[in-house]
Amino acid sequence: MKSVLKTLDKFESYACQALLCLFVTLLFIQVIMRVAFNYGIPWSEELSRFAFVWFVFLGASYAARLSAHNRVTFHLKLLPVKVRNGIEFFADMLWIAFNTMMTIKSVEVIESLMEYPFLSPALDWSMAFLYWVFPISFTLTSIRIIQVNYLKLVKGHEFKDMDDPQVD
């Protein structure tokens, strides 16, 4: 199981890096082409937008793994550790419930897009392709929430250093 989670860590990290490079490079080339040559590449804006959306949602999953999502915790730090962990665990269960609902609803939207295809204007791709990021990222985020709670509550791992994504 550890190797699967480490592979998932690497996949999310590399995918986010590749998507970031892709959309920044495409936008840079697009700006240069418009300013220097007065010509725009029609598909580059759309592809960079798709890459950005995938980057954001996969990045959210990776941030959940690093326990790096913003939380209001000032008031929780005043409580005993067990109470704080219990409240955070309850909040994480609500988060997983939300992710589950979003996964189910996004699959319904994708099924609708498969039945009644809607194509992107420049690339002529099915919009279902873009929408697949929702069930993928919400499912991965739920897995990461479970993983972080296991590491924190069972293994006693502290998430002070966000640069430490290693699985214990």
Side-chain angles (χ1 to χ4, degrees), residues 77-127:
K77 292 184 185 212
L78 301 174
L79 300 172
V81 173
K82 287 186 179 185
V83 174
R84 178 177 53 218
N85 285 343
I87 292 170
E88 288 177 350
F89 179 76
F90 178 72
D92 285 346
M93 293 305 104
L94 291 176
W95 191 5
I96 289 173
F98 171 78
N99 289 345
T100 302
M101 183 192 67
M102 290 299 293
T103 300
I104 291 166
K105 293 300 181 185
S106 61
V107 167
E108 291 174 7
V109 170
I110 292 168
E111 287 172 348
S112 174
L113 286 170
M114 298 297 249
E115 187 175 347
Y116 305 104
F118 180 71
L119 302 177
S120 63
L123 292 170
D124 204 34
W125 289 354
S126 171
M127 290 302 288

Side-chain angles (χ1 to χ4, degrees), residues 2-13 144:
K2 284 184 184 181
S3 65
V4 171
L5 294 174
K6 284 186 179 188
T7 302
L8 192 56
D9 285 345
K10 289 180 183 179
F11 167 76
E12 286 174 332
S13 177
R144 297 322 203 139

Side-chain angles (χ1 to χ4, degrees), residues 9 16-18 27 34 47 49 79 88 103-104 109 125-126 129 131 138 140 150 164:
D9 285 345
C16 286
Q17 291 172 35
L27 290 176
R34 284 188 180 186
L47 184 57
R49 191 176 316 123
L79 300 172
E88 288 177 350
T103 300
I104 291 166
V109 170
W125 289 354
S126 171
F129 168 74
Y131 282 72
F138 283 111
L140 285 174
Y150 172 77
D164 178 27

Side-chain angles (χ1 to χ4, degrees), residues 62 65-68 157-166:
Y62 193 62
R65 167 56 188 103
L66 299 176
S67 194
H157 190 281
E158 302 241 355
F159 287 90
K160 293 178 183 174
D161 184 12
M162 291 184 5
D163 294 329
D164 178 27
Q166 299 303 313

Side-chain angles (χ1 to χ4, degrees), residues 53-84:
V53 169
W54 276 79
F55 167 76
V56 166
F57 281 93
L58 288 178
S61 170
Y62 193 62
R65 167 56 188 103
L66 299 176
S67 194
H69 278 279
N70 291 332
R71 291 181 185 225
V72 179
T73 58
F74 175 75
H75 61 292
L76 294 178
K77 292 184 185 212
L78 301 174
L79 300 172
V81 173
K82 287 186 179 185
V83 174
R84 178 177 53 218

